Amino acid sequence: MNGRYKVLLLGSGGREHSIAWKLNQSPDLEKLFCIPGNPGISELAECHQISLQNHSEITQFISKNEIQLVICGPEAPLADGLMNHLSESLGNTCILIGPKLSGARLESSKNFSKEFMFRHNIPTAAYKTFRKEQLSEAKEFILSMKTPIVLKADGLAAGKGVLICQSHNEAIEEIELMLDGKFGEASEQVVIEEFLSGIEFSSFILTDGKYYVELPDAKDYKRIGEKDTGLNTGGMGSISPVHFIDNILREKIRNRIINPTIEGLQKENIPYQGFIFFGLINVNGDPFVIEYNCRLGDPETESIMLRIKSDLLQAFIACGSGTLNDYSMSTHDHYAATVFLVSGGYPDNFEKGKEIFNYKDCPEDSYIFHAGTQIKDGKLVTSGGRVIALSSISKTKDQAIQKSLYMAKQIQYDGKYYRKDIGFDLE
Ligand code: AMP
Ligand code: GLY
């Protein structure tokens, strides 16, 4: 396919806003649509309020608007088979960026992903999986392990299905609750795994199932409190690049993790077109996989989009036309930093509908990506836990962080909270 492209982006977060921002720089973009989008995205794309669960309405929308390329931002539509539906109804008329159900299982089933890693010798924590009727075996296994012990609901549990238990007793109490439905269907099976100690980071590729390109690496900050304390959140900030990823570690990531993953997918006849997000941990210089995701990370994407120099739309087109091996992704050497503004009380209960002020001015090379915002009676108000991502790019990490923190201070709404120490551990 040549010429200019009509593109549909699915999702409504800061990740999708930053992808929309990047796609808008492509001379090959004819028109960008987004379902459902948000007030920030609506300045860059034509947004439509269609449910991401309504597969047939999305198909009709794509056909009616002659859309040639679809990018799925979040994981839920992928785990719900949206790409299978689109592929069956649209055939080859449209490039789909996001895997079908078989590939999305890398994220939607922890047990599947652990078995996949073991089948293909990909380094990951030792584990065993148990169902409800195996409670006594599960307890025995727990007692045989060193603490801390990691329990993971097999299915998608909105980022809450992983528990790190400090004692055997705690792990035994929790496994009973989980197998008893603590996370509904998601914890019908529970993976019990060894705790790995090291620094976590995220690596990303875009693949057509055969070739791949690497995107910039990033580190995200998941905990609500400074110095990584308190509850887990959807993500409070991110930094890219990650300075300790030198050429030696990069080669290990490629040879031990990325290449065997792609080869494993091929051997198992799992077609895969889209992103793979490797949640990694650096254990004394050796990378281990903590998890796979079948999409980009949020808030990593807000930082990495700033660092990609190449045309991202061209990468998607190459991915859909089997020419990804001819595409090379160049990146800016500079550092990017993202600081997330969240609602007071998040990730526990929080109020919505707070008017947001002072959000229009940005210093040069800084960007405001909307996540949980909404227009109500002509005003911009908060509509979620994570409200706005503030991303900046600069020569040094500290300058990038300072620029985002400056914006974080300027923007006002009732209950605003953000972490002031993003990047604290990357000295
Ligand atoms: P996951 O959803 O699998 O990424 O797990 C959520 C978080 O739990 C990860 O980001 C890690 O901080 C932590 N975690 C998961 N598995 C392990 C493990 N085996 N060892 C140490 N920490 C882990
Ligand atoms: N930043 C982690 C995630 O998107 O799952």
PDB file of all heavy atoms in Angstrom, residues 110 114 124-126 148-153 159-164 193-198 200 220 222-223 232 277 279-281 289-293, ligand 1:
ATOM      1  N   LYS A 110      -0.893 -15.696  32.733  1.00  0.00           N
ATOM      2  CA  LYS A 110       0.462 -15.789  33.320  1.00  0.00           C
ATOM      3  C   LYS A 110       0.972 -17.218  33.194  1.00  0.00           C
ATOM      4  O   LYS A 110       2.162 -17.441  32.989  1.00  0.00           O
ATOM      5  CB  LYS A 110       0.433 -15.419  34.801  1.00  0.00           C
ATOM      6  CG  LYS A 110      -0.021 -13.996  35.074  1.00  0.00           C
ATOM      7  CD  LYS A 110       1.143 -13.061  35.202  1.00  0.00           C
ATOM      8  CE  LYS A 110       0.680 -11.699  35.673  1.00  0.00           C
ATOM      9  NZ  LYS A 110       1.451 -10.608  35.118  1.00  0.00           N
ATOM     10  N   LYS A 114       4.394 -18.310  31.379  1.00  0.00           N
ATOM     11  CA  LYS A 114       5.470 -19.032  32.083  1.00  0.00           C
ATOM     12  C   LYS A 114       5.801 -20.337  31.350  1.00  0.00           C
ATOM     13  O   LYS A 114       6.971 -20.659  31.152  1.00  0.00           O
ATOM     14  CB  LYS A 114       5.061 -19.350  33.531  1.00  0.00           C
ATOM     15  CG  LYS A 114       4.854 -18.155  34.436  1.00  0.00           C
ATOM     16  CD  LYS A 114       6.093 -17.338  34.713  1.00  0.00           C
ATOM     17  CE  LYS A 114       7.068 -17.993  35.629  1.00  0.00           C
ATOM     18  NZ  LYS A 114       8.127 -17.016  36.054  1.00  0.00           N
ATOM     19  N   THR A 124      13.461 -16.777  33.448  1.00  0.00           N
ATOM     20  CA  THR A 124      12.357 -16.230  34.243  1.00  0.00           C
ATOM     21  C   THR A 124      12.385 -16.937  35.602  1.00  0.00           C
ATOM     22  O   THR A 124      13.094 -17.939  35.764  1.00  0.00           O
ATOM     23  CB  THR A 124      11.006 -16.427  33.517  1.00  0.00           C
ATOM     24  OG1 THR A 124       9.978 -15.758  34.239  1.00  0.00           O
ATOM     25  CG2 THR A 124      10.625 -17.897  33.361  1.00  0.00           C
ATOM     26  N   ALA A 125      11.631 -16.442  36.554  1.00  0.00           N
ATOM     27  CA  ALA A 125      11.638 -17.046  37.895  1.00  0.00           C
ATOM     28  C   ALA A 125      11.042 -18.455  37.859  1.00  0.00           C
ATOM     29  O   ALA A 125      10.082 -18.710  37.118  1.00  0.00           O
ATOM     30  CB  ALA A 125      10.817 -16.171  38.844  1.00  0.00           C
ATOM     31  N   ALA A 126      11.588 -19.357  38.708  1.00  0.00           N
ATOM     32  CA  ALA A 126      11.018 -20.703  38.836  1.00  0.00           C
ATOM     33  C   ALA A 126       9.579 -20.576  39.368  1.00  0.00           C
ATOM     34  O   ALA A 126       9.273 -19.659  40.124  1.00  0.00           O
ATOM     35  CB  ALA A 126      11.859 -21.517  39.811  1.00  0.00           C
ATOM     36  N   PRO A 148      10.856 -13.803  50.182  1.00  0.00           N
ATOM     37  CA  PRO A 148       9.438 -13.609  49.862  1.00  0.00           C
ATOM     38  C   PRO A 148       8.973 -14.545  48.741  1.00  0.00           C
ATOM     39  O   PRO A 148       9.773 -15.075  47.986  1.00  0.00           O
ATOM     40  CB  PRO A 148       9.384 -12.157  49.378  1.00  0.00           C
ATOM     41  CG  PRO A 148      10.750 -11.591  49.442  1.00  0.00           C
ATOM     42  CD  PRO A 148      11.697 -12.652  49.813  1.00  0.00           C
ATOM     43  N   ILE A 149       7.645 -14.692  48.665  1.00  0.00           N
ATOM     44  CA  ILE A 149       7.044 -15.590  47.674  1.00  0.00           C
ATOM     45  C   ILE A 149       6.060 -14.772  46.839  1.00  0.00           C
ATOM     46  O   ILE A 149       5.294 -13.968  47.377  1.00  0.00           O
ATOM     47  CB  ILE A 149       6.306 -16.740  48.395  1.00  0.00           C
ATOM     48  CG1 ILE A 149       7.339 -17.585  49.172  1.00  0.00           C
ATOM     49  CG2 ILE A 149       5.524 -17.610  47.418  1.00  0.00           C
ATOM     50  CD1 ILE A 149       6.725 -18.513  50.199  1.00  0.00           C
ATOM     51  N   VAL A 150       6.101 -14.991  45.529  1.00  0.00           N
ATOM     52  CA  VAL A 150       5.254 -14.196  44.640  1.00  0.00           C
ATOM     53  C   VAL A 150       4.046 -15.016  44.198  1.00  0.00           C
ATOM     54  O   VAL A 150       4.210 -16.149  43.718  1.00  0.00           O
ATOM     55  CB  VAL A 150       6.062 -13.744  43.399  1.00  0.00           C
ATOM     56  CG1 VAL A 150       5.227 -12.830  42.524  1.00  0.00           C
ATOM     57  CG2 VAL A 150       7.369 -13.061  43.816  1.00  0.00           C
ATOM     58  N   LEU A 151       2.833 -14.475  44.396  1.00  0.00           N
ATOM     59  CA  LEU A 151       1.610 -15.146  43.926  1.00  0.00           C
ATOM     60  C   LEU A 151       1.012 -14.312  42.808  1.00  0.00           C
ATOM     61  O   LEU A 151       0.875 -13.088  42.947  1.00  0.00           O
ATOM     62  CB  LEU A 151       0.575 -15.245  45.059  1.00  0.00           C
ATOM     63  CG  LEU A 151       0.994 -15.889  46.382  1.00  0.00           C
ATOM     64  CD1 LEU A 151      -0.222 -15.987  47.317  1.00  0.00           C
ATOM     65  CD2 LEU A 151       1.561 -17.285  46.144  1.00  0.00           C
ATOM     66  N   LYS A 152       0.647 -14.965  41.716  1.00  0.00           N
ATOM     67  CA  LYS A 152       0.093 -14.229  40.571  1.00  0.00           C
ATOM     68  C   LYS A 152      -1.194 -14.871  40.085  1.00  0.00           C
ATOM     69  O   LYS A 152      -1.190 -16.061  39.729  1.00  0.00           O
ATOM     70  CB  LYS A 152       1.076 -14.236  39.393  1.00  0.00           C
ATOM     71  CG  LYS A 152       2.386 -13.544  39.691  1.00  0.00           C
ATOM     72  CD  LYS A 152       3.271 -13.450  38.460  1.00  0.00           C
ATOM     73  CE  LYS A 152       4.469 -12.584  38.780  1.00  0.00           C
ATOM     74  NZ  LYS A 152       5.360 -12.397  37.627  1.00  0.00           N
ATOM     75  N   ALA A 153      -2.258 -14.076  40.043  1.00  0.00           N
ATOM     76  CA  ALA A 153      -3.489 -14.557  39.413  1.00  0.00           C
ATOM     77  C   ALA A 153      -3.159 -14.837  37.952  1.00  0.00           C
ATOM     78  O   ALA A 153      -2.451 -14.055  37.312  1.00  0.00           O
ATOM     79  CB  ALA A 153      -4.574 -13.496  39.523  1.00  0.00           C
ATOM     80  N   GLY A 159      -3.977  -5.111  36.875  1.00  0.00           N
ATOM     81  CA  GLY A 159      -2.700  -4.778  37.508  1.00  0.00           C
ATOM     82  C   GLY A 159      -2.638  -5.082  39.000  1.00  0.00           C
ATOM     83  O   GLY A 159      -1.668  -4.762  39.666  1.00  0.00           O
ATOM     84  N   LYS A 160      -3.700  -5.737  39.537  1.00  0.00           N
ATOM     85  CA  LYS A 160      -3.721  -5.956  40.990  1.00  0.00           C
ATOM     86  C   LYS A 160      -3.466  -7.407  41.369  1.00  0.00           C
ATOM     87  O   LYS A 160      -3.421  -7.750  42.548  1.00  0.00           O
ATOM     88  CB  LYS A 160      -5.095  -5.550  41.537  1.00  0.00           C
ATOM     89  CG  LYS A 160      -5.402  -4.086  41.302  1.00  0.00           C
ATOM     90  CD  LYS A 160      -6.474  -3.587  42.257  1.00  0.00           C
ATOM     91  CE  LYS A 160      -6.610  -2.095  42.183  1.00  0.00           C
ATOM     92  NZ  LYS A 160      -7.797  -1.644  41.501  1.00  0.00           N
ATOM     93  N   GLY A 161      -3.320  -8.273  40.390  1.00  0.00           N
ATOM     94  CA  GLY A 161      -3.307  -9.713  40.665  1.00  0.00           C
ATOM     95  C   GLY A 161      -1.984 -10.302  41.103  1.00  0.00           C
ATOM     96  O   GLY A 161      -1.848 -11.511  41.147  1.00  0.00           O
ATOM     97  N   VAL A 162      -0.990  -9.449  41.434  1.00  0.00           N
ATOM     98  CA  VAL A 162       0.305  -9.980  41.879  1.00  0.00           C
ATOM     99  C   VAL A 162       0.542  -9.598  43.337  1.00  0.00           C
ATOM    100  O   VAL A 162       0.439  -8.431  43.705  1.00  0.00           O
ATOM    101  CB  VAL A 162       1.458  -9.429  41.006  1.00  0.00           C
ATOM    102  CG1 VAL A 162       2.808  -9.891  41.531  1.00  0.00           C
ATOM    103  CG2 VAL A 162       1.283  -9.871  39.566  1.00  0.00           C
ATOM    104  N   LEU A 163       0.832 -10.600  44.164  1.00  0.00           N
ATOM    105  CA  LEU A 163       1.091 -10.326  45.588  1.00  0.00           C
ATOM    106  C   LEU A 163       2.474 -10.819  45.942  1.00  0.00           C
ATOM    107  O   LEU A 163       2.866 -11.926  45.552  1.00  0.00           O
ATOM    108  CB  LEU A 163       0.063 -11.054  46.462  1.00  0.00           C
ATOM    109  CG  LEU A 163      -1.398 -10.707  46.209  1.00  0.00           C
ATOM    110  CD1 LEU A 163      -2.303 -11.600  47.042  1.00  0.00           C
ATOM    111  CD2 LEU A 163      -1.666  -9.244  46.542  1.00  0.00           C
ATOM    112  N   ILE A 164       3.210  -9.990  46.671  1.00  0.00           N
ATOM    113  CA  ILE A 164       4.535 -10.409  47.140  1.00  0.00           C
ATOM    114  C   ILE A 164       4.377 -10.667  48.635  1.00  0.00           C
ATOM    115  O   ILE A 164       4.109  -9.732  49.397  1.00  0.00           O
ATOM    116  CB  ILE A 164       5.574  -9.289  46.901  1.00  0.00           C
ATOM    117  CG1 ILE A 164       5.420  -8.760  45.482  1.00  0.00           C
ATOM    118  CG2 ILE A 164       6.985  -9.747  47.299  1.00  0.00           C
ATOM    119  CD1 ILE A 164       6.464  -8.987  44.503  1.00  0.00           C
ATOM    120  N   GLU A 193       5.560 -18.131  42.358  1.00  0.00           N
ATOM    121  CA  GLU A 193       6.925 -18.103  41.825  1.00  0.00           C
ATOM    122  C   GLU A 193       7.946 -17.518  42.768  1.00  0.00           C
ATOM    123  O   GLU A 193       7.634 -16.814  43.732  1.00  0.00           O
ATOM    124  CB  GLU A 193       6.968 -17.465  40.438  1.00  0.00           C
ATOM    125  CG  GLU A 193       6.747 -15.996  40.384  1.00  0.00           C
ATOM    126  CD  GLU A 193       6.905 -15.437  38.973  1.00  0.00           C
ATOM    127  OE1 GLU A 193       6.411 -16.026  38.003  1.00  0.00           O
ATOM    128  OE2 GLU A 193       7.532 -14.384  38.846  1.00  0.00           O
ATOM    129  N   GLU A 194       9.162 -17.842  42.447  1.00  0.00           N
ATOM    130  CA  GLU A 194      10.346 -17.405  43.181  1.00  0.00           C
ATOM    131  C   GLU A 194      10.482 -15.886  43.060  1.00  0.00           C
ATOM    132  O   GLU A 194      10.219 -15.318  42.000  1.00  0.00           O
ATOM    133  CB  GLU A 194      11.520 -18.126  42.504  1.00  0.00           C
ATOM    134  CG  GLU A 194      12.872 -17.626  42.737  1.00  0.00           C
ATOM    135  CD  GLU A 194      13.845 -18.077  41.604  1.00  0.00           C
ATOM    136  OE1 GLU A 194      13.408 -18.457  40.496  1.00  0.00           O
ATOM    137  OE2 GLU A 194      15.043 -18.024  41.864  1.00  0.00           O
ATOM    138  N   PHE A 195      10.903 -15.230  44.123  1.00  0.00           N
ATOM    139  CA  PHE A 195      11.113 -13.780  44.120  1.00  0.00           C
ATOM    140  C   PHE A 195      12.495 -13.472  43.547  1.00  0.00           C
ATOM    141  O   PHE A 195      13.490 -14.070  43.970  1.00  0.00           O
ATOM    142  CB  PHE A 195      11.013 -13.253  45.554  1.00  0.00           C
ATOM    143  CG  PHE A 195      11.206 -11.772  45.661  1.00  0.00           C
ATOM    144  CD1 PHE A 195      10.155 -10.894  45.423  1.00  0.00           C
ATOM    145  CD2 PHE A 195      12.457 -11.238  45.996  1.00  0.00           C
ATOM    146  CE1 PHE A 195      10.339  -9.513  45.518  1.00  0.00           C
ATOM    147  CE2 PHE A 195      12.640  -9.868  46.092  1.00  0.00           C
ATOM    148  CZ  PHE A 195      11.576  -9.003  45.861  1.00  0.00           C
ATOM    149  N   LEU A 196      12.533 -12.571  42.569  1.00  0.00           N
ATOM    150  CA  LEU A 196      13.821 -12.171  41.995  1.00  0.00           C
ATOM    151  C   LEU A 196      14.169 -10.784  42.510  1.00  0.00           C
ATOM    152  O   LEU A 196      13.302  -9.902  42.574  1.00  0.00           O
ATOM    153  CB  LEU A 196      13.735 -12.132  40.466  1.00  0.00           C
ATOM    154  CG  LEU A 196      13.448 -13.463  39.773  1.00  0.00           C
ATOM    155  CD1 LEU A 196      13.252 -13.244  38.276  1.00  0.00           C
ATOM    156  CD2 LEU A 196      14.585 -14.457  40.010  1.00  0.00           C
ATOM    157  N   SER A 197      15.442 -10.601  42.823  1.00  0.00           N
ATOM    158  CA  SER A 197      15.843  -9.324  43.396  1.00  0.00           C
ATOM    159  C   SER A 197      16.730  -8.583  42.403  1.00  0.00           C
ATOM    160  O   SER A 197      17.730  -9.121  41.945  1.00  0.00           O
ATOM    161  CB  SER A 197      16.604  -9.657  44.672  1.00  0.00           C
ATOM    162  OG  SER A 197      16.762  -8.536  45.415  1.00  0.00           O
ATOM    163  N   GLY A 198      16.354  -7.366  42.054  1.00  0.00           N
ATOM    164  CA  GLY A 198      17.132  -6.585  41.101  1.00  0.00           C
ATOM    165  C   GLY A 198      16.375  -5.339  40.713  1.00  0.00           C
ATOM    166  O   GLY A 198      15.345  -5.027  41.308  1.00  0.00           O
ATOM    167  N   GLU A 200      14.065  -3.355  38.048  1.00  0.00           N
ATOM    168  CA  GLU A 200      13.165  -3.640  36.928  1.00  0.00           C
ATOM    169  C   GLU A 200      13.260  -2.570  35.865  1.00  0.00           C
ATOM    170  O   GLU A 200      13.493  -1.403  36.170  1.00  0.00           O
ATOM    171  CB  GLU A 200      11.723  -3.674  37.434  1.00  0.00           C
ATOM    172  CG  GLU A 200      11.392  -4.905  38.229  1.00  0.00           C
ATOM    173  CD  GLU A 200       9.951  -4.858  38.712  1.00  0.00           C
ATOM    174  OE1 GLU A 200       9.044  -4.806  37.869  1.00  0.00           O
ATOM    175  OE2 GLU A 200       9.757  -4.847  39.931  1.00  0.00           O
ATOM    176  N   ASP A 220       9.689   2.406  34.593  1.00  0.00           N
ATOM    177  CA  ASP A 220       8.511   3.088  35.135  1.00  0.00           C
ATOM    178  C   ASP A 220       8.513   3.013  36.656  1.00  0.00           C
ATOM    179  O   ASP A 220       9.256   2.222  37.258  1.00  0.00           O
ATOM    180  CB  ASP A 220       7.209   2.555  34.533  1.00  0.00           C
ATOM    181  CG  ASP A 220       6.795   1.219  35.113  1.00  0.00           C
ATOM    182  OD1 ASP A 220       7.678   0.508  35.604  1.00  0.00           O
ATOM    183  OD2 ASP A 220       5.605   0.882  35.059  1.00  0.00           O
ATOM    184  N   LYS A 222       6.011   2.469  39.707  1.00  0.00           N
ATOM    185  CA  LYS A 222       4.643   1.977  39.890  1.00  0.00           C
ATOM    186  C   LYS A 222       4.030   2.370  41.224  1.00  0.00           C
ATOM    187  O   LYS A 222       2.815   2.439  41.344  1.00  0.00           O
ATOM    188  CB  LYS A 222       4.637   0.444  39.816  1.00  0.00           C
ATOM    189  CG  LYS A 222       4.928  -0.119  38.443  1.00  0.00           C
ATOM    190  CD  LYS A 222       4.519  -1.595  38.381  1.00  0.00           C
ATOM    191  CE  LYS A 222       4.647  -2.175  36.985  1.00  0.00           C
ATOM    192  NZ  LYS A 222       6.002  -2.612  36.628  1.00  0.00           N
ATOM    193  N   ARG A 223       4.873   2.576  42.238  1.00  0.00           N
ATOM    194  CA  ARG A 223       4.305   2.801  43.574  1.00  0.00           C
ATOM    195  C   ARG A 223       3.820   4.235  43.742  1.00  0.00           C
ATOM    196  O   ARG A 223       4.412   5.153  43.188  1.00  0.00           O
ATOM    197  CB  ARG A 223       5.340   2.491  44.648  1.00  0.00           C
ATOM    198  CG  ARG A 223       5.913   1.110  44.586  1.00  0.00           C
ATOM    199  CD  ARG A 223       4.870   0.053  44.950  1.00  0.00           C
ATOM    200  NE  ARG A 223       5.555  -1.184  45.276  1.00  0.00           N
ATOM    201  CZ  ARG A 223       5.892  -1.522  46.523  1.00  0.00           C
ATOM    202  NH1 ARG A 223       5.584  -0.762  47.547  1.00  0.00           N
ATOM    203  NH2 ARG A 223       6.528  -2.652  46.733  1.00  0.00           N
ATOM    204  N   ASN A 232       0.701  -0.170  44.727  1.00  0.00           N
ATOM    205  CA  ASN A 232       0.969  -0.135  43.290  1.00  0.00           C
ATOM    206  C   ASN A 232      -0.097   0.695  42.584  1.00  0.00           C
ATOM    207  O   ASN A 232      -1.251   0.692  42.977  1.00  0.00           O
ATOM    208  CB  ASN A 232       0.910  -1.555  42.728  1.00  0.00           C
ATOM    209  CG  ASN A 232       2.284  -2.112  42.476  1.00  0.00           C
ATOM    210  OD1 ASN A 232       3.224  -1.364  42.174  1.00  0.00           O
ATOM    211  ND2 ASN A 232       2.412  -3.412  42.595  1.00  0.00           N
ATOM    212  N   PHE A 277       6.047  -6.078  24.955  1.00  0.00           N
ATOM    213  CA  PHE A 277       6.620  -5.319  26.068  1.00  0.00           C
ATOM    214  C   PHE A 277       7.205  -6.372  27.002  1.00  0.00           C
ATOM    215  O   PHE A 277       6.494  -7.239  27.496  1.00  0.00           O
ATOM    216  CB  PHE A 277       5.472  -4.534  26.687  1.00  0.00           C
ATOM    217  CG  PHE A 277       5.620  -3.959  28.064  1.00  0.00           C
ATOM    218  CD1 PHE A 277       4.687  -3.012  28.484  1.00  0.00           C
ATOM    219  CD2 PHE A 277       6.613  -4.315  28.966  1.00  0.00           C
ATOM    220  CE1 PHE A 277       4.750  -2.462  29.740  1.00  0.00           C
ATOM    221  CE2 PHE A 277       6.685  -3.771  30.222  1.00  0.00           C
ATOM    222  CZ  PHE A 277       5.740  -2.841  30.618  1.00  0.00           C
ATOM    223  N   GLY A 279       8.702  -7.018  30.434  1.00  0.00           N
ATOM    224  CA  GLY A 279       8.927  -6.493  31.779  1.00  0.00           C
ATOM    225  C   GLY A 279      10.103  -7.273  32.335  1.00  0.00           C
ATOM    226  O   GLY A 279       9.996  -8.472  32.606  1.00  0.00           O
ATOM    227  N   LEU A 280      11.264  -6.628  32.473  1.00  0.00           N
ATOM    228  CA  LEU A 280      12.503  -7.338  32.799  1.00  0.00           C
ATOM    229  C   LEU A 280      13.033  -6.930  34.164  1.00  0.00           C
ATOM    230  O   LEU A 280      12.674  -5.869  34.693  1.00  0.00           O
ATOM    231  CB  LEU A 280      13.560  -7.031  31.733  1.00  0.00           C
ATOM    232  CG  LEU A 280      13.157  -7.358  30.287  1.00  0.00           C
ATOM    233  CD1 LEU A 280      14.262  -6.921  29.316  1.00  0.00           C
ATOM    234  CD2 LEU A 280      12.870  -8.847  30.121  1.00  0.00           C
ATOM    235  N   ILE A 281      13.896  -7.780  34.689  1.00  0.00           N
ATOM    236  CA  ILE A 281      14.576  -7.434  35.932  1.00  0.00           C
ATOM    237  C   ILE A 281      16.050  -7.780  35.746  1.00  0.00           C
ATOM    238  O   ILE A 281      16.383  -8.833  35.169  1.00  0.00           O
ATOM    239  CB  ILE A 281      13.918  -8.143  37.141  1.00  0.00           C
ATOM    240  CG1 ILE A 281      14.487  -7.630  38.459  1.00  0.00           C
ATOM    241  CG2 ILE A 281      14.018  -9.648  37.076  1.00  0.00           C
ATOM    242  CD1 ILE A 281      13.592  -7.953  39.669  1.00  0.00           C
ATOM    243  N   VAL A 289      12.796 -12.356  32.665  1.00  0.00           N
ATOM    244  CA  VAL A 289      11.474 -11.813  32.317  1.00  0.00           C
ATOM    245  C   VAL A 289      10.557 -11.920  33.530  1.00  0.00           C
ATOM    246  O   VAL A 289      10.356 -13.003  34.079  1.00  0.00           O
ATOM    247  CB  VAL A 289      10.842 -12.583  31.132  1.00  0.00           C
ATOM    248  CG1 VAL A 289       9.469 -12.000  30.798  1.00  0.00           C
ATOM    249  CG2 VAL A 289      11.750 -12.530  29.912  1.00  0.00           C
ATOM    250  N   ILE A 290       9.999 -10.793  33.940  1.00  0.00           N
ATOM    251  CA  ILE A 290       8.980 -10.789  34.995  1.00  0.00           C
ATOM    252  C   ILE A 290       7.620 -11.022  34.348  1.00  0.00           C
ATOM    253  O   ILE A 290       6.783 -11.751  34.862  1.00  0.00           O
ATOM    254  CB  ILE A 290       8.968  -9.421  35.732  1.00  0.00           C
ATOM    255  CG1 ILE A 290      10.250  -9.213  36.515  1.00  0.00           C
ATOM    256  CG2 ILE A 290       7.737  -9.260  36.584  1.00  0.00           C
ATOM    257  CD1 ILE A 290      10.266  -9.802  37.894  1.00  0.00           C
ATOM    258  N   GLU A 291       7.406 -10.378  33.209  1.00  0.00           N
ATOM    259  CA  GLU A 291       6.135 -10.562  32.501  1.00  0.00           C
ATOM    260  C   GLU A 291       6.271 -10.102  31.065  1.00  0.00           C
ATOM    261  O   GLU A 291       7.158  -9.319  30.724  1.00  0.00           O
ATOM    262  CB  GLU A 291       5.014  -9.747  33.174  1.00  0.00           C
ATOM    263  CG  GLU A 291       5.275  -8.260  33.134  1.00  0.00           C
ATOM    264  CD  GLU A 291       4.079  -7.393  33.473  1.00  0.00           C
ATOM    265  OE1 GLU A 291       2.955  -7.913  33.551  1.00  0.00           O
ATOM    266  OE2 GLU A 291       4.273  -6.181  33.644  1.00  0.00           O
ATOM    267  N   TYR A 292       5.358 -10.626  30.228  1.00  0.00           N
ATOM    268  CA  TYR A 292       5.182 -10.101  28.877  1.00  0.00           C
ATOM    269  C   TYR A 292       3.901  -9.271  28.872  1.00  0.00           C
ATOM    270  O   TYR A 292       2.924  -9.637  29.536  1.00  0.00           O
ATOM    271  CB  TYR A 292       4.906 -11.237  27.890  1.00  0.00           C
ATOM    272  CG  TYR A 292       6.045 -12.127  27.500  1.00  0.00           C
ATOM    273  CD1 TYR A 292       6.013 -13.480  27.818  1.00  0.00           C
ATOM    274  CD2 TYR A 292       7.104 -11.656  26.741  1.00  0.00           C
ATOM    275  CE1 TYR A 292       7.027 -14.337  27.413  1.00  0.00           C
ATOM    276  CE2 TYR A 292       8.122 -12.514  26.328  1.00  0.00           C
ATOM    277  CZ  TYR A 292       8.076 -13.839  26.671  1.00  0.00           C
ATOM    278  OH  TYR A 292       9.068 -14.683  26.261  1.00  0.00           O
ATOM    279  N   ASN A 293       3.895  -8.218  28.061  1.00  0.00           N
ATOM    280  CA  ASN A 293       2.636  -7.551  27.747  1.00  0.00           C
ATOM    281  C   ASN A 293       2.542  -7.460  26.235  1.00  0.00           C
ATOM    282  O   ASN A 293       3.564  -7.394  25.545  1.00  0.00           O
ATOM    283  CB  ASN A 293       2.573  -6.148  28.356  1.00  0.00           C
ATOM    284  CG  ASN A 293       2.539  -6.199  29.874  1.00  0.00           C
ATOM    285  OD1 ASN A 293       1.675  -6.842  30.458  1.00  0.00           O
ATOM    286  ND2 ASN A 293       3.484  -5.555  30.518  1.00  0.00           N
TER     287      ASN A 293
HETATM  288  P1  AMP B   1       3.603  -8.452  36.935  1.00  0.00           P
HETATM  289  O1  AMP B   1       2.164  -8.080  36.806  1.00  0.00           O
HETATM  290  O2  AMP B   1       3.903  -9.882  36.652  1.00  0.00           O
HETATM  291  O3  AMP B   1       4.514  -7.480  36.221  1.00  0.00           O
HETATM  292  O4  AMP B   1       3.984  -8.169  38.467  1.00  0.00           O
HETATM  293  C1  AMP B   1       3.792  -6.910  39.047  1.00  0.00           C
HETATM  294  C2  AMP B   1       5.008  -6.518  39.836  1.00  0.00           C
HETATM  295  O5  AMP B   1       5.296  -7.490  40.844  1.00  0.00           O
HETATM  296  C3  AMP B   1       6.277  -6.467  39.002  1.00  0.00           C
HETATM  297  O6  AMP B   1       6.431  -5.246  38.364  1.00  0.00           O
HETATM  298  C4  AMP B   1       7.340  -6.692  40.054  1.00  0.00           C
HETATM  299  O7  AMP B   1       7.604  -5.497  40.762  1.00  0.00           O
HETATM  300  C5  AMP B   1       6.684  -7.644  40.999  1.00  0.00           C
HETATM  301  N1  AMP B   1       7.060  -9.025  40.656  1.00  0.00           N
HETATM  302  C6  AMP B   1       6.402  -9.888  39.867  1.00  0.00           C
HETATM  303  N2  AMP B   1       7.036 -11.062  39.783  1.00  0.00           N
HETATM  304  C7  AMP B   1       8.154 -10.964  40.545  1.00  0.00           C
HETATM  305  C8  AMP B   1       9.220 -11.849  40.874  1.00  0.00           C
HETATM  306  N3  AMP B   1       9.253 -13.089  40.431  1.00  0.00           N
HETATM  307  N4  AMP B   1      10.197 -11.380  41.678  1.00  0.00           N
HETATM  308  C9  AMP B   1      10.161 -10.123  42.157  1.00  0.00           C
HETATM  309  N5  AMP B   1       9.180  -9.246  41.905  1.00  0.00           N
HETATM  310  C10 AMP B   1       8.173  -9.645  41.109  1.00  0.00           C
END
